[in-house]
Amino acid sequence: MDTSTNELKKTLDIYLSKWKLILFFVITAIVLAYGYLRYTTYLYQASATVKIKDEQQSQKLPSMAEITSGGLFSGGANKIKDEIEVMTSRTIIANIVKNLKLNIRYYEQGKIKEMELYENAPIKLNFFASDSIVHKVDTTLFIKVKSQSEFLMFKDNGKSIIERDDSEGKSFSFGDRIKTGFGDLVIVPNIGKFAPHKGSNLKVSIKPVTSMVNSYQPAILTSTVDGSSVIKLTLKDNIPNRAVDILNQVIREYNNDVITDKEDVIKVTSDFINNRLELVFKELEEVDFTAEQLQKRNNLTALGSQANIYLESEKQNEFQINNTANTIQLIDYLRQELKEKNKNSDLLPSNLGIADANVNQVTKSHNELVAQRDRILKNSTEKNPVVINLNNQIDALKNNLESSLENMKKTSEITLTSLTKEDARIRGQLYSAPTKQRQLRDIERQQNIKESLYLYLLEKREESAISLGMFTANAKVIDTAYSTYLPIAPNKMITYLAAILLGLMLPIGFIYINDLLDTKIHDKDDLMKLLTIPYIGDIPMTSKKTKLINKVDYSAKAEAFRILRSNIDFLLKDQVAKTKKIFITSTRAEEGKSHTSTNLASSISFSEKSVLLIEMDIRVPKIMQYLKEKPSTSIGLSEFLADKTLKPCQILNKLKDNEFLDVIASGTIPPNPSELLISERVQELFDYFEDKYDYIIVDTSAVGLVSDTLIISKFADMFIYVVSADNIDKRQLVAVAKPLFEDHRLPKMNLLLNGTNFDKKGYGYGYGYGAADSHKKKWYHFI
């Protein structure tokens, strides 16, 4: 197996060893996700689809010319965008909020969350103040129903009604007139199954209309395809029925607004025609009266017999004179309308009958720009750059129209002069006609002119009246607003998936960072990467209750010490001296020196080899505590080193249960341990026991703390350097052990890893063999 595979397996073992932690986080995340989904407010979506009809399609009876000519979309897709802006304008949204009363919301408060009641709320508020005042109110009412007829009202102090005592509320009966800062109101209950029930905690939120407009205007989304007149409206809301109602109301308000704009043009035209009819009627009355007086004065009552004197050419000439005079009169009327300053609207009358295509087209374009400007002014001001641009275009069209009318009038006057001369020539041929009859003829001509103009205006007035009711909705509804009534947010699947991912990422991230920042030694690989010191073995971690191994012991620890014993024999196989002196040390305290010394000595003695265990860590002695025996002599190593009269055999302790293991205890803790270890008595001690034991195991002080071990290192045949797994810092180990090895300060220095824990980090090795092995592998060890 190559290095990369080992590293991958090692990394995988790290995470698998923490499966309980990961599982705990995953389960916790799922529980939190369930709680979130249980009490969160869901969001629903409603959609509607409309088609913006062409300008002529919005009339009930379009003409063939209107059908074949360009419509609303002949100007490009920008007009669709304009209609979308109108559809979602603040004016439209404000009307929706007012009509649906979206600024007043009812909630029923619970212990954890509050539920909004849109349809069939248990109570209803009726205001005495005007709508203009109510639409600016920003307040919250808290109501607790005490019975079918009484309730308590609380002030808004930032607390939930559930947190309040009944004594804080003011008692009212349903139907009472309640005084508030914005005017009086009456609260009436619903009836039937929607009636308020006793104990209900209700909250009524009243918001300004402008605030609700700010909320809903960006929420109503529109989409369309280039070149298409179909618009899709969507809205997300926590109540699906409300979203459906709002979209339907958007379509209704937009259609009403468009129809109103179109009918305003017709109304302006009708008013213009009515004003002209009054003037023409008065002029016609005056001409009729003049003719009547002339006939009475001159007895001109039998003029029918003289009709044959009029030639056909004169009739045609008179017809042209009438048409030309009518045109001049209409031009004057329209020019007077252009100059009028005190009008309610800038719209101009259209289709008056002026037989000039340029004038009619300019008038139509002028009215379209005025309608567009007025629509924008509903949601803007005169300083809006778009409005200023439209005003400039309107003024330019007016100047163009004024110039066209002036030229047209001059042309018509020239034509009229020519026709009048022709008429004079024809009448000159009728020299036999009485002067009185010619005068009557002139008056009758004026009558015909005024009468034809009057009849023409009557016809146009009727056309305008008919057109007023011919407009239909501009937006054709393809799909009325609908909702699937399935929440779009939060998505349960995504929420649970995110919870599981978060539950995995947090512990895995923590384990990864912890492993990344980990500077401790855990296994042989960690040691080999840091140091080139020979590795002699490792000791697994066991329960603190089983500190010592037994003679008949199949545990992992016992097997580890047997392996360690074999490795020591192999390393010292070429040694000439009978007694093998093995020193145990470490970087610092609490790394398991005494534990290793005691169990190693016991393991060797179980093989019926004589072993002497010397407790030379006279600063912090622990061996006798591990052996759980009291010294058979009251004196120990420190007394021997200080008192030259004592003999080595006098400090020797014989163990009751193990005849192959003797112990020299540290004795009294001296104030000067280093000075004692420098003395020649140490040499005498080792010389005395030389060849008396097969093994001498020496428990020494930590080399990283004191120099005691270095003082006596010359007496050792081998040093076992104990490294505590999951305990010692790599930097500290390198700083202490590496120089000792490289400078040969400790003879035959070998590393022993103590306290390896496979279950904790995924490191270590298994021990035990055969039926006596009670160690069971974890499920993830089989991977």
Side-chain angles (χ1 to χ4, degrees), residues 213 462 765:
V213 172
E462 290 303 316
Y765 307 93

Side-chain angles (χ1 to χ4, degrees), residues 431-537:
Y431 61 92
S432 59
T435 303
K436 295 179 180 179
Q437 190 172 359
R438 289 199 304 271
Q439 293 176 349
L440 181 60
R441 177 63 181 165
D442 291 338
I443 294 175
E444 287 178 346
R445 184 183 296 113
Q446 293 296 323
Q447 281 181 311
N448 291 335
I449 293 173
K450 298 299 181 183
E451 184 177 355
S452 62
L453 179 60
Y454 183 75
L455 293 175
Y456 177 79
L457 291 175
L458 285 177
E459 180 183 355
K460 288 298 179 182
R461 185 175 68 176
E462 290 303 316
E463 290 180 0
S464 298
I466 294 173
S467 299
L468 189 62
M470 291 175 61
F471 291 105
T472 59
N474 201 38
K476 177 184 177 181
V477 179
I478 298 176
D479 289 321
T480 57
Y482 67 93
S483 174
T484 60
Y485 295 92
L486 296 175
I488 61 171
N491 186 291
K492 289 186 178 181
M493 183 72 70
I494 295 177
T495 301
Y496 279 120
L497 181 60
I500 293 173
L501 291 177
L502 184 63
L504 290 172
M505 290 172 59
L506 286 177
I508 290 176
F510 172 78
I511 294 171
Y512 172 76
I513 294 174
N514 185 61
D515 185 65
L516 191 66
L517 300 177
D518 187 12
T519 59
K520 300 296 178 64
I521 298 295
H522 300 288
D523 67 349
K524 177 183 176 180
D525 292 340
D526 290 341
L527 282 175
M528 295 298 96
K529 290 178 182 177
L530 291 174
L531 302 170
T532 57
I533 304 172
Y535 184 81
I536 197 170

Side-chain angles (χ1 to χ4, degrees), residues 422-642:
E422 178 66 16
D423 184 69
R425 185 185 65 79
I426 294 173
R427 285 188 292 110
Q429 295 177 1
L430 302 176
Y431 61 92
S432 59
T435 303
K436 295 179 180 179
Q437 190 172 359
R438 289 199 304 271
Q439 293 176 349
L440 181 60
R441 177 63 181 165
D442 291 338
I443 294 175
E444 287 178 346
R445 184 183 296 113
Q446 293 296 323
Q447 281 181 311
N448 291 335
I449 293 173
K450 298 299 181 183
E451 184 177 355
S452 62
L453 179 60
Y454 183 75
L455 293 175
Y456 177 79
L457 291 175
L458 285 177
E459 180 183 355
K460 288 298 179 182
R461 185 175 68 176
E462 290 303 316
E463 290 180 0
S464 298
I466 294 173
S467 299
L468 189 62
M470 291 175 61
F471 291 105
T472 59
N474 201 38
K476 177 184 177 181
V477 179
I478 298 176
D479 289 321
T480 57
Y482 67 93
S483 174
T484 60
Y485 295 92
L486 296 175
I488 61 171
N491 186 291
K492 289 186 178 181
M493 183 72 70
I494 295 177
T495 301
Y496 279 120
L497 181 60
I500 293 173
L501 291 177
L502 184 63
L504 290 172
M505 290 172 59
L506 286 177
I508 290 176
F510 172 78
I511 294 171
Y512 172 76
I513 294 174
N514 185 61
D515 185 65
L516 191 66
L517 300 177
D518 187 12
T519 59
K520 300 296 178 64
I521 298 295
H522 300 288
D523 67 349
K524 177 183 176 180
D525 292 340
D526 290 341
L527 282 175
M528 295 298 96
K529 290 178 182 177
L530 291 174
L531 302 170
T532 57
I533 304 172
Y535 184 81
I536 197 170
D538 54 49
I539 307 299
M541 178 180 288
T542 56
S543 172
K544 293 182 179 180
K545 296 180 181 180
T546 57
K547 293 182 179 179
L548 295 179
I549 62 175
N550 299 316
K551 186 173 183 179
V552 180
D553 194 340
Y554 296 98
S555 66
K557 179 190 285 189
E559 187 62 31
F561 276 106
R562 293 188 191 102
I563 295 173
L564 176 60
R565 181 183 69 195
S566 300
N567 291 339
I568 292 172
D569 290 340
F570 177 78
L571 293 174
L572 298 177
K573 64 181 179 179
D574 297 330
Q575 182 172 314
V576 177
K578 175 186 176 183
T579 302
K580 300 175 181 177
K581 296 182 286 295
I582 304 166
F583 283 39
I584 313 295
T585 189
S586 64
T587 304
R588 57 183 179 81
E590 303 297 333
E591 288 199 72
K593 294 186 296 75
S594 300
H595 172 270
T596 302
S597 302
T598 306
N599 282 286
L600 178 59
S602 298
S603 178
I604 295 174
S605 67
F606 292 153
S607 64
E608 298 184 355
K609 300 287 186 180
S610 58
V611 181
L612 174 61
L613 179 58
I614 303 176
E615 194 173 25
M616 277 199 168
D617 186 0
I618 57 179
R619 296 175 184 267
V620 189
K622 290 183 179 180
I623 285 181
M624 298 309 291
Q625 295 179 12
Y626 276 104
L627 292 172
K628 296 181 180 180
E629 292 206 17
K630 293 182 179 180
S632 57
T633 176
S634 61
I635 58 176
L637 181 62
S638 57
E639 283 80 9
F640 172 78
L641 296 177

